[in-house]
Amino acid sequence: MDIPRLLRGARAWRRVLPASGRRRALGLPGRHRSLTRRSWRRALRALRPSYPRPGRRGWRRWVPSLRQALLACAWAVLALAAATVTAYERTGIPADLNAFATQQDNVYYWADGTEMARVGPVDRQEMPLERIPADVQWAVLSAENASFYTDHGVSPSGILRAVKAMATGGDTQGGSTITQQYAKNVYLNQRQTLSRKITEMVISIKLDGRLSKRQILAGYLNTSWFGRGAYGVQRAAKAYYGKDVSQLDAGEAAFLATVLKGAGLYDPALGAANHKRAVDRWNWVLDRMVETGRLTAAERATYTTFPEPLPPPRPKGLSGQTGYLVDTARTYTAAHSGLSDAQLDLGGYQIYTTFEKPRVDALAAAVREQRKSLRPESREADGNVRTGAASVAADGRILALYGGPDYVTQGFDDANISIVPAGTLYGPFVYAAGLRDGLLLERGAPRTPLTPARTYDGDNKAPVRTPEGPYWDRNGKIVKTVNGGNRSYGRISISRAVAQSVNAPVVQLGMDVGLNRVRQASIDAGLLPGSFGEQVPAFFLGTATPSPIRMASAYGTFLASGTHTEPYSVVRITHHGSAAPVHRPAPTHPFSPAVAHEVEAAVHGGSGEGTGAQGTAGAGTPGGATTGAERAGRAPSMARTGTSTDGRAGWCIGDDGKAVTAVAAFRIDPRTQQLQSLEGLAGHSGMTAARTFPSAVLAGYTQEMTN
C-alpha cells in the first residue's frame, strides 16, 4: 500500500477542511473558512488513482498492483451483486402465459390473396402428473436434468456457458434446467439471447420458490414441443405411438425424451439421417436412466429393438393437391424465414404463396384425364404408375404442382421426388456447358469455342474419345454410345443432335467439355448437387435425378435469357398484423442471353446454327436472343419429350413464355421401392408410352389453361 501517498492526501484534505470545518462537521463550534478552488484541485489530485503506476518504466507501469487488482475485483463483485438484486426485484413472473393461451391456425393463401387452407390448431392436452408413468418422467429427467429434484431452478454451468457465449459474440445455448425450460416455454420466447437468458433464470428461481417440483415437472411435460404439431407428452404419445401416455413403456418413453431435443433432427420419419440419430440418442437415454438409477441393467437389457413410431398423421382438410402445396410452402418457410417448427406449430401465421389456383386445378385435371387410360386390373404395366409435375415461372415462382392423386392417401410428393432419371432431357445442359465453357480437344491446348453448326459423329455405337484418344472402360474395352432405336445419323450438327436427342454426339460433346464443367453448368442452371450420379460417359445421358420442380426451374433459366432464380413458394408472411421475415432468392446470371437463346432454340426443335429457332428467336436483342417477356404470349409449346436409357422414366417439358412445366411419369415397386419399366404402359408398344403419357398430360394442361 502507498502509505506516503495516503498521508499526502490526508494533509491535502486537512487544508481543504481546516479546523473550523472539521469542528463544524463534528457539530463543534468553530470559525468557518470558505473552501477555495485551488484547495479542491489539490485534494482531488491527491486521490487520483496512481495508474499508470509512477516510479516504474516500460510495460511494468501498466501492470496493476495487488491492491488495485483486489479493489477492481471487489468493485466487480459489488456491481454484479447490485445488478443481480436489481434484476431479481424488477423481474416478476408474468401474469399471463405466452402464445399457448392464444393459439391460432396458420392460414395459407393462393397467389391472388384468397384463402387456400387452414392448418391447426395446436395439438395439446393437459395430463396430470399422476397419469404420466414414472418411466416417462425419469426418461425426460435423465436426458434433460438429472438433478432436477435437488437444484434450485438454475444451472451454474449453464450460466457460465451463457457468459462465455456473450464474451465470444455468440448466442447463449444449452445447459438449461427443467425449470428454466418450463419458464421459457410458457412465459418467454425461444430466442437465445443473453437478456432473455437472464430473465429466464430469474423467473426460474422465483418459480422454484413458489411451486413444488412436481408442479413444475407437470407443467413442463404438458407444454413442451415434441414435433408433429404435438405440445405435451399426452399428444406426443398419440402422435408417435397412437397410445395414451399411461400405456408407454420405458423404451417408448426414451424415444419421446429423444425428440424433445429437436424433432426436426430426431423424428425418424424425416429421413435416414434422422433415424440414425434417433436410434443413437434413444440408446443413450436408456443408458442414462441406468446411470441415474431409474432403470436396472437387467431392465435395460430388454430394450434392444428401437420402438419405431407410426408414420406422421395427415392433417384434416388437406385432401387433393392442397396438402402437397401446404407441405411445400411450410418447408420453404421453415428453411428461409428463421421461424422454427415449434413456432409454426403454435400458429397465428398468414403465409402468402406463389401457387395459382387455376394452374393447380388444370394440372390436376390433366393428370386425372390421362390416368383414365390405365387398366391396372388387366395390364401389369399399368400398375404402380406415378406422376409428378410442376409449373415454375422464369423468375422462380412455383405456380403449380401435382404431387399425387390425394395428399391424404399418398403423402409423399411426386413433384418433389428425386429418384427419376432425367434421361434425354439432360442434353440441353451439356449443350449449355459447351456453349459457355468451350471444348478441350487437345490436352494443354486452349479451349475451342463451340458453335451450333459444329458437327459430330452421329452413328450408332460411335466410340467415345478423350483428348488423349479412345475412352476405355474397366474391362479394357472402348466405350461406345448407343443411339435410341440403334439409329445412325452420320455427321450431324450439335444443335440438331441436341434437338433430336441423338445420344452419340451429346456424349462426345460432354467429353469434350469435361465432366466437371458439365456438372457445374447443370448446378448453375438449377439442378441440385445431390441429384447427380457417377461421373462417367453415361452421365451425359441423364443419370441425374432432378425432381419435376427442379427440372422446370432449370429449364426456366434458358427461358429467362440465362438468369436463374431458385424456385420458391412463399412471398410474404405476417403474424398478428406484423410482417415476419422471409428470404426471397436473388437471381444469378450463369449464362449469357446468347447461350440461353441457342439452348432454347434446340429445346424447341430448331436447328440453331446461328439462325434462330422456328420463331422463338427475335431480332430485338443482340445475337438474336429474346427475353422471356418478348416471348410471352406465343402459343404454348410442347417442346421436348425424354426417356431414360433403361426405360424406367418418361418426361415431357414445355413452356408458354411465362413458365416452364415439367411432367414425369414412372412406376415404383411398392415392395422394393425401385423403379420399374414403363414398357407397355397404357397398352402402347415398347417405350412409346414413356413419351406419350407425360406429353398427353402436358397437352391436357395446356388445353385446360387455354379454356
Side-chain angles (χ1 to χ4, degrees), residues 170-528:
D171 289 339
T172 63
Q173 54 186 326
S176 296
T177 64
I178 290 290
T179 309
Q180 288 176 260
Q181 293 181 52
Y182 175 55
K184 178 177 64 176
N185 285 347
V186 299
Y187 295 117
L188 303 170
N189 55 54
Q190 302 295 317
R191 290 191 293 272
Q192 295 286 347
T193 60
L194 183 60
S195 61
R196 207 276 296 137
K197 192 75 173 178
I198 292 173
T199 304
E200 170 196 304
M201 289 187 292
V202 173
I203 292 176
S204 299
I205 293 171
K206 291 191 172 185
L207 280 176
D208 193 71
R210 179 179 298 184
L211 303 177
S212 71
K213 288 291 188 179
R214 289 180 62 80
Q215 287 176 309
I216 293 172
L217 181 59
Y220 173 73
L221 291 175
N222 281 298
T223 57
S224 293
W225 182 70
F226 288 81
R228 298 192 178 183
Y231 279 84
V233 69
Q234 169 68 356
R235 285 308 188 192
K238 293 284 188 181
Y240 287 101
Y241 292 110
K243 299 179 181 180
D244 189 273
V245 67
S246 62
Q247 299 174 312
L248 298 181
D249 60 27
E252 294 161 336
F255 172 74
L256 293 190
T258 293
V259 291
L260 262 180
K261 190 170 177 66
L265 291 174
Y266 293 95
D267 185 345
L270 300 181
N274 273 37
H275 192 282
K276 183 180 184 306
R277 279 192 293 265
V279 173
D280 290 344
R281 185 162 176 83
W282 173 76
N283 279 302
W284 178 84
V285 172
L286 288 171
D287 292 339
R288 280 286 295 160
M289 293 178 71
V290 174
E291 291 176 19
T292 56
R294 302 304 169 180
L295 201 65
T296 67
E299 290 172 328
R300 168 66 179 93
T302 63
Y303 296 104
T304 57
T305 303
F306 181 68
E308 296 287 351
L310 300 172
R314 294 294 162 196
K316 298 177 181 178
L318 298 181
S319 59
Q321 298 303 302
T322 305
Y324 303 117
L325 302 175
V326 167
D327 266 3
T328 300
R330 179 180 171 121
T331 299
Y332 186 87
T333 298
H336 297 91
S337 70
L339 299 174
S340 68
D341 286 339
Q343 288 173 295
L344 288 171
D345 279 345
L346 279 175
Y349 292 93
Q350 296 78 46
I351 300 172
Y352 295 84
T353 74
T354 60
F355 304 123
E356 297 182 358
K357 191 175 189 303
R359 285 181 176 269
V360 172
D361 292 343
L363 194 53
V367 176
R368 284 196 302 269
E369 184 63 29
Q370 292 310 308
R371 288 188 67 87
K372 292 179 181 179
S373 65
L374 303 179
R375 301 287 184 270
E377 65 282 353
S378 58
R379 283 194 297 259
E380 183 180 353
D382 288 358
N384 308 321
V385 176
R386 303 262 289 273
T387 308
S391 187
V392 180
D395 62 4
R397 289 173 296 127
I398 305 175
L399 304 181
L401 58 81
Y402 179 87
D406 192 307
Y407 179 78
V408 175
T409 58
Q410 180 192 294
F412 32 85
D413 183 357
D414 289 335
N416 275 297
I417 199 166
S418 296
I419 63 172
V420 185
T424 50
L425 282 190
Y426 190 71
F429 301 109
V430 183
Y431 189 34
L435 291 169
R436 184 183 74 174
D437 298 340
L439 313 176
L440 183 63
L441 303 178
E442 182 180 343
R443 195 68 66 194
R447 299 186 75 87
T448 301
L450 174 68
T451 64
R454 185 181 181 87
T455 61
Y456 276 87
D457 184 356
D459 285 343
N460 186 47
K461 296 185 178 180
V464 177
R465 299 185 61 82
T466 70
E468 290 81 15
Y471 184 92
W472 302 82
D473 64 16
R474 294 176 181 176
N475 297 320
K477 296 181 179 179
I478 295 176
V479 174
K480 298 180 179 181
T481 305
V482 177
N483 290 333
N486 293 312
R487 180 180 171 184
S488 291
Y489 295 80
R491 300 297 297 183
I492 182 173
S493 70
I494 191 59
S495 60
R496 288 190 180 277
V498 172
Q500 298 177 29
S501 300
V502 184
N503 291 342
V506 171
V507 170
Q508 187 56 55
L509 171 62
M511 296 299 294
D512 292 345
V513 177
L515 284 158
N516 289 335
R517 287 177 180 264
V518 172
R519 183 180 186 276
Q520 187 59 52
S522 307
I523 294 171
D524 294 343
L527 301 189
L528 294 176

